[in-house]
Amino acid sequence: MSVARDALVLALVRAAGALRAAGVPFALAGGCAVYARGGPVSEHDLDLVVREADVRAAVRALVGVGMCEVDVPEDWLAKVRDGGVEVDLLFRPNERPVTDETLDAAEPMLVGSAQVPVQRATDVLIGKLLVLTPHRCDFAELLAIVRAVREQIEWPRVRRETACSPYAEAFLVLVERLRLADTAGGPQRWERSA
């Protein structure tokens, strides 16, 4: 489902205000975090990472400002809807629990009219690579992300933390072959050949 950028940013501003008022630590993740860092516009949903212990308080805070809770079958996220925008509260993405360290690594950035903690590009890419499967293995979105934020990515860490995934490995080989980055030793400048 495609959602207008303005609606996503407005939902983020509302969610950030509600979570701050409730004292719930969070960080912007996923496609909107990439957008905040200069990447392509996200047109899907709003992903926020929270600790599992804070999920119920987060949902209450968001419902308290007029969002609607959505029942989900997954056991690693909660979901609310703000008009046409789905807000995912991820607490165990890719079976990796959100911890204080996860949240502390986020960097404050201005998104719309709100200063919000935004996951680092490295963490976002690791998360996106770990969801690749035989049924979900489209590299197009990932290539657009890498092209936009490659200088912000710690490539050796991406390789280490995704070593369990043959799909991530295939993507990293592609990134190397396209000369978007040296995934073994750090970012590399892309140079157009004549």
Side-chain angles (χ1 to χ4, degrees):
M1 174 172 132
S2 179
V3 178
R5 180 199 57 164
D6 292 345
L8 284 167
V9 171
L10 181 58
L12 172 61
V13 170
R14 285 172 37 89
L19 294 174
R20 274 200 191 93
V24 176
F26 70 97
L28 180 61
C32 287
V34 172
Y35 171 69
R37 295 186 160 283
V41 174
S42 177
E43 297 181 343
H44 302 294
D45 56 7
L46 180 61
D47 292 330
L48 302 175
V49 291
V50 297
R51 294 177 305 212
E52 187 167 5
D54 295 328
V55 171
R56 292 311 321 150
V59 169
R60 278 193 304 275
L62 297 175
V63 168
V65 295
M67 298 185 190
C68 301
E69 185 172 6
V70 177
D71 288 330
V72 294
E74 297 89 356
D75 65 354
W76 49 271
L77 68 84
K79 189 181 295 267
V80 297
R81 185 170 286 120
D82 185 21
V85 177
E86 289 189 354
V87 180
D88 290 345
L89 300 167
L90 311 169
F91 55 87
R92 200 176 60 251
N94 303 309
E95 296 304 319
R96 297 163 60 121
V98 174
T99 63
D100 289 334
E101 292 78 23
T102 307
L103 299 173
D104 290 344
E107 299 169 323
M109 301 181 82
L110 187 63
V111 185
S113 63
Q115 185 88 6
V116 296
V118 178
Q119 268 196 331
R120 293 177 185 219
T122 300
D123 295 317
V124 174
L125 183 59
I126 289 168
K128 288 187 171 290
L129 288 174
L130 290 176
V131 299
L132 296 174
T133 67
H135 303 289
R136 185 178 179 190
C137 195
D138 182 358
F139 291 164
E141 176 189 1
L142 294 173
L143 285 171
I145 289 169
V146 166
R147 283 188 177 104
V149 299
R150 64 181 172 256
E151 295 86 5
Q152 301 175 49
I153 296 172
E154 301 167 47
W155 292 104
R157 186 169 152 235
V158 171
R159 182 167 289 286
R160 276 192 317 274
E161 293 194 28
T162 63
C164 60
S165 168
Y167 306 99
E169 182 178 5
F171 179 76
L172 294 175
V173 168
L174 179 61
V175 165
E176 285 176 358
R177 294 288 303 272
L178 293 173
R179 298 178 54 181
L180 296 174
D182 172 5
T183 62
Q188 167 181 315
R189 259 189 215 284
W190 181 78
E191 297 171 10
R192 178 176 260 162
S193 56

